[in-house]
Amino acid sequence: MEGKMIDENGLRVDGRKVDELRQIKIEAGVLKRADGSAYVEWGKNKVLAAVYGPRECHPRHLQDPSKALVQCKYNMIAFSVSDRKRPGPDRRSVEISKIISEALEYVVFTEYFPRTSVDVYIEILQANAGTRCAGLTAASVALADAGIPMKDMIPSVAVGKIDGQIVLDLCKEEDNYGQADMPIAIIPRTGEILLMQMDGHMTTDEFNRAMEYGFGACEKIYQLQKDALKRRYAVEDVEGLEEDVPREQQELEG
Amino acid sequence: MEGKMIDENGLRVDGRKVDELRQIKIEAGVLKRADGSAYVEWGKNKVLAAVYGPRECHPRHLQDPSKALVQCKYNMIAFSVSDRKRPGPDRRSVEISKIISEALEYVVFTEYFPRTSVDVYIEILQANAGTRCAGLTAASVALADAGIPMKDMIPSVAVGKIDGQIVLDLCKEEDNYGQADMPIAIIPRTGEILLMQMDGHMTTDEFNRAMEYGFGACEKIYQLQKDALKRRYAVEDVEGLEEDVPREQQELEG
Amino acid sequence: MEGKMIDENGLRVDGRKVDELRQIKIEAGVLKRADGSAYVEWGKNKVLAAVYGPRECHPRHLQDPSKALVQCKYNMIAFSVSDRKRPGPDRRSVEISKIISEALEYVVFTEYFPRTSVDVYIEILQANAGTRCAGLTAASVALADAGIPMKDMIPSVAVGKIDGQIVLDLCKEEDNYGQADMPIAIIPRTGEILLMQMDGHMTTDEFNRAMEYGFGACEKIYQLQKDALKRRYAVEDVEGLEEDVPREQQELEG
Amino acid sequence: MARAIMSDIKRDHIHKLLSKGKRVDGRTWDEFRQVSIERRFVESAEGSARVMLGDTDVLVGVKIETGTPFSDTPDRGVLSTNAELIPLASPNFESGPPDEDSIELARVVDRGIRESEMIDLTALCIAPGEEVWLCFVDMYVLDYDGNLFDAAFLGAVAALKSAMVPAAMNGKGEDFPLPIRNTPISCTAVQIENSILFDPTLDEEKVAAARLTVTTDENGDIRAMQKGLEGSLTLEQAKRIIETSQRLGRDLRKLIG
Amino acid sequence: MARAIMSDIKRDHIHKLLSKGKRVDGRTWDEFRQVSIERRFVESAEGSARVMLGDTDVLVGVKIETGTPFSDTPDRGVLSTNAELIPLASPNFESGPPDEDSIELARVVDRGIRESEMIDLTALCIAPGEEVWLCFVDMYVLDYDGNLFDAAFLGAVAALKSAMVPAAMNGKGEDFPLPIRNTPISCTAVQIENSILFDPTLDEEKVAAARLTVTTDENGDIRAMQKGLEGSLTLEQAKRIIETSQRLGRDLRKLIG
Amino acid sequence: MARAIMSDIKRDHIHKLLSKGKRVDGRTWDEFRQVSIERRFVESAEGSARVMLGDTDVLVGVKIETGTPFSDTPDRGVLSTNAELIPLASPNFESGPPDEDSIELARVVDRGIRESEMIDLTALCIAPGEEVWLCFVDMYVLDYDGNLFDAAFLGAVAALKSAMVPAAMNGKGEDFPLPIRNTPISCTAVQIENSILFDPTLDEEKVAAARLTVTTDENGDIRAMQKGLEGSLTLEQAKRIIETSQRLGRDLRKLIG
């Protein structure tokens, strides 16, 4: 497939430039039962994230007397991929859940809620490359929507390599023939890297270019995250009274 | 098979009339270790039920501070069916255990024994259609034999449809070609329905007929349940002294 | 294979006499993290044993208020046998773990450490017949190395039958064609049998001969166990100061 | 699943309204909440539908693959139904393999589809005894506000009716719609202090004594039923639920089209 | 399984009687409890037997199916033995996959059958390397009052001897009895304060230090042994148990016929 | 795995030394501990290596069998990598199926081997679509004193380079060495209060904020990376770790030969 993924005008199979993101749509507060939630459409990815907590930590022997645990479960639903995936965690999703949990733990003020658990659920409804980045991006918004005190939100994106070129945000078709894939997550304000994985083949120069693209994209995604929260609050202001009714009912349930 | 299951005299493959039960034999108090037990032969079904409790509820997080849990486990043993069944619960037995537990919970005075569990085990030793009804019938007797305070015993029976006719208590051969199957369990005294499932194809009229057959049969089964308990007590009266010895030994075990 | 396993001079496939052990090498204190450890090479068997405890017993409902539990896990690693073994316990290793636990429990002064667990891990790195005996032999040394108070160490050996003759300590090639196999473990000082299994075909006379061989061999293995501990202590005396540093560090970890 | 606990105040509120013949959200006893159905929500599935029943949100996908038939039905395709009560949807759902609640849900939906003969499984045979189409229906609860049975059933029926068999991709000729013969509908009611309420919310479920799900076909005939919960129903209540389900089923069936 | 706890009073009672050479139920040290064997208890099994050893009640079934042989024994049928300590039988048995107790029980019974060459597995080969008869022995404990090893072994042997290979149903000619070459018997004794007691009751097991099961064939030769529990046996005790097992085995074998 | 807890005193000690640019064991920030590699430690494996990295002890074995290829790579052998953090190696490791730590370890090693194209999987095809060589890499941690990633990776690479494909035993001609094209090396560093330390000991890992593993090939190109732990890295720190890994990788590669 060498040489076929980027055309003579430098455009990719879906018409994007090498440093261009797919279309991203973020919506906060999309679920009723969850304490916080977000929905992300990212190209053809469809991702739902929900947050419960801080709440009692189960099993109890995992409780940390000095802080809350941030426990993320990343899951692909059975029909999110072309071959049906058997329900239940596989090794890939266990690893992704671990590294997303670690990234989120850094931004949550866990010391405020000792012995509790902040549970984050990411469900990939439709997968098209880059689901862990879309999931982490959604999870950050869901945490904020849940009112969990946190340092900042974490945007995330993958940078890849196709046809010997560093390229931002591979879609599935590109990923299938890609030469490298590097998902990252950062705090744009400080430049801190919270998630970074790579597989494939990159020189040091290519790595530097990739980080440039990635950092730039994360700035944009961060803006989308903030916009989603703003829209959510704006809606709340308008529909405040109506929205309050179910909230009160929830309190009654104890 | 249309038209072959009921002959010109209205008799079924095993010679029964459409509203006739198979032969049912109930025996109470058949096991030594269990707190209560019953054995039921119902046509070619052979079913054993045992009750332990009220006893400490495990796992503890399931304990209910206001009442006892009634936890039934329905199980078919490996060689109870023509193709060997792998030991361990399958989805069918999980569902049956759930609905039998719910039915039994209604009649046990669970509020007398907060935080405890009343454990009911139903083992299908030989299966020939209608095992959940035979199992629930046996479980009621075992609960009574265990001296668990309860509102009433629950007889249970299935009503089916073959050759376009509503028919009581399908045997396996009929069930294989049946057009509908509807297991029910009721309290005959009050007419309350505690278990009802249906699959197949029934009109409203057929449903009404089926319930008539079912209610009538439950009266008879209820009588057999009571007879079994009476025989059990009668034996105890005669053999009272002998029986008391092991009971005392059990107490010594703490 | 009848008649081929022992030659005209009474020598076996690896040149041993019928009552001769394979070469056995025992080393105590081979791991840094474990509280006690031992490594055994026994012919082509390579076995590692480690002891942790007495430590808090998990799960807690297994705790015994009157004594420590001795919980041994025997495990063959994936590439210890010619066909790769899937990781995780199989039925054979569950049974072996149970009987080794029972044997070790007899010699540990469990009443000194109520509510705790003494955990013994046996890993078969390379298997060549007789691994349970090599494992139990190693586990005894590891327990002593951990400083667990115990009545005595337990040597263990298997006696088998090939070509109609009772033969000590079968190697794999012999075991494949053997007519009987009988692993035993004893306390040489008292002659008490703590582990004994047999499968195959033995007359009473053959059993008596086998026990003679086994008891004799256990005396020798016991000596090797003691030698290994002596060497371990001798080394500690010389290198005492150096060795103490990490020990102190461990205490600092609480 | 232990049933979620509810405060006494809220429970009393529901009971008090019921005694006046009213429901918390103002519906009549036989009124369903707003239903919305979004078909083909997930492109990677051969068929899919997202159903909102009030705030209850269920996503159902259908995957169709080739495989071997069961030995006792060599000339029929295979239908397999699974429900996942994922912890994203409720604080009371837990991670892990299907528990008794999700198993009951899956099996009740499965029986409704199977017993109504909705899908012509014989048309899903490729080579008798050797190769057939396997049809996996996976139901994911995304937000849980009561009456999963009907939301999941509507989703499964809509997803199946939207599904295309991927024949071309498998070298088996042209894609074709799943062969549908019938549109079954399930309606669920609960009994609370002898009142019957259809399409219960989560709060209503929490105080309910008994539940009955009735699945009817286009003729109004009964194809499947499931009574649930630890309470009882009288025969009259059962009959009333059945008759009302037949009536409500006709309306819901129009939504599916 | 943690061993069940017993009151000190009861323990003392057993010890006191033993010091006078007596057992709680009046038996001699080498006396089995009443044995009853009901063959073909379950019709859906190819062979079955329900064995009562005093109040210990074990139901064993044999299912026989066609399947593929193991690659290292291409011309032999397959024997598979499984024990289920179902919670119906004892307050100390728990639901779930086989624990170490049921695994030990199954493996000890399996070795006794296998090592005695009771079944001619070569006669269970249909097509070498391709198709053989698979023979599943499932042992269910229904009521537990001690000495499961011998009750289960008797049940397994009786069930196997009653089993018919379902050849006709599988299109492999006429049904035939399982090819039996030997009738092994296992006898189990416990050591309590240096007394040896055969066929221990549950109470005796609770105070026992060590257990030895000896399986002998028709010649009285030893085919399998298993020592259990956390206590010890002297060589003399082991020899005495072996000799007694040979003697008692002859009597029990007659019951099996 | 919850990270093991460490006393404040020890933590302070490490921090104090670090503030002076020192490590507890006297190494420089970019210095590995003593490495020892014992090849062919286990004869029953087709390849094996036992690697000591200071007191960290890892045993890796390679088993090679024939089997069927994945349907999407019909002409390639199969590589399968598994890590076992057995409880013998640390008081914090537990029995049971692989947890998230062992899964991460196995997957990071797997990616390093796979992405560097170390093994020519096309040369492990026997009959396209039908039979290929399956290559199982099993990594057992025997003693855990930090930096499992590099110890396991060294062990895996050494074991693979020592492995012979057992062709003769499988009737596929003569045995031959696994076709190796590249020798990748992974180097792992941690960040502790903005210091970077390579090859961390267990104590250093306990106080570390972030971890980065960089796998490079013979050209020094990056083939795989994995950032771990709950802390952050700056871009400069990441670059410094990458460059140092390229340099250290050259030295470690010589040990493998």
Side-chain angles (χ1 to χ4, degrees), chain C residues 31-33 39 44 46 50 52 55 73 77-82 84 87 121 123 125-126 249 252-253, chain F residues 7 10 41-44 55 61 63 65 82 84 86-91 136 138 140 143-144 202 206:
Chain C
L31 298 176
K32 186 188 175 189
R33 302 292 303 167
Y39 175 68
K44 289 189 172 177
K46 296 186 176 189
Y52 287 90
R55 62 182 179 183
K73 289 239 164 68
I77 71 173
F79 46 91
S80 62
V81 282
S82 45
R84 176 176 184 263
Y121 302 104
E123 297 289 336
L125 307 182
Q126 185 169 295
Q249 282 179 355
L252 283 173
E253 292 171 41
Chain F
S7 73
K10 196 163 189 180
F41 182 81
V42 173
E43 285 176 41
S44 45
D55 284 315
K63 291 294 297 179
E65 302 171 0
N82 180 56
E84 296 284 321
I86 49 177
L88 169 130
S90 162
F136 296 94
D138 285 287
Y140 283 83
D143 213 352
Y144 173 37
L202 178 56
K206 282 177 184 166

Side-chain angles (χ1 to χ4, degrees), chain F residues 59-86:
Chain F
L59 176 62
V60 181
V62 176
K63 291 294 297 179
I64 305 175
E65 302 171 0
T66 61
T68 49
F70 289 121
S71 58
D72 54 345
T73 53
D75 57 349
R76 312 188 61 158
V78 171
L79 173 71
S80 170
T81 311
N82 180 56
E84 296 284 321
L85 305 187
I86 49 177

Side-chain angles (χ1 to χ4, degrees), chain A residues 74 76 90-97 131-132, chain F residues 107:
Chain A
Y74 163 101
M76 293 181 119
D90 55 12
R91 293 165 66 92
R92 176 181 169 275
S93 63
V94 169
E95 185 195 354
I96 293 176
S97 297
T131 58
R132 77 192 68 185
Chain F
R107 286 177 61 84

Side-chain angles (χ1 to χ4, degrees), chain A residues 31-33 39 44 46 50 52 55 73 77-82 84 87 121 123 125-126 249 252-253, chain D residues 7 10 41-44 55 61 63 65 82 84 86-91 136 138 140 143-144 202 206:
Chain A
L31 298 176
K32 185 187 178 190
R33 302 291 305 167
Y39 175 67
K44 290 190 172 176
K46 296 186 175 189
Y52 287 90
R55 63 180 177 183
K73 289 241 164 68
I77 71 173
F79 47 90
S80 63
V81 283
S82 45
R84 176 176 185 264
Y121 301 104
E123 297 288 336
L125 307 182
Q126 186 169 295
Q249 281 179 357
L252 283 172
E253 291 171 40
Chain D
S7 73
K10 197 162 187 180
F41 182 82
V42 173
E43 285 177 40
S44 44
D55 284 315
K63 291 293 297 179
E65 302 171 0
N82 181 54
E84 296 283 321
I86 50 177
L88 170 132
S90 162
F136 295 94
D138 285 286
Y140 283 83
D143 214 352
Y144 172 38
L202 178 56
K206 282 177 185 167

Side-chain angles (χ1 to χ4, degrees), chain A residues 73 75 87-89 121 123, chain D residues 82-87 93-100 102-103 140:
Chain A
K73 289 241 164 68
N75 181 49
Y121 301 104
E123 297 288 336
Chain D
N82 181 54
E84 296 283 321
L85 306 187
I86 50 177
F93 293 170
E94 286 172 19
S95 297
D99 66 357
E100 57 176 31
S102 46
I103 287 173
Y140 283 83

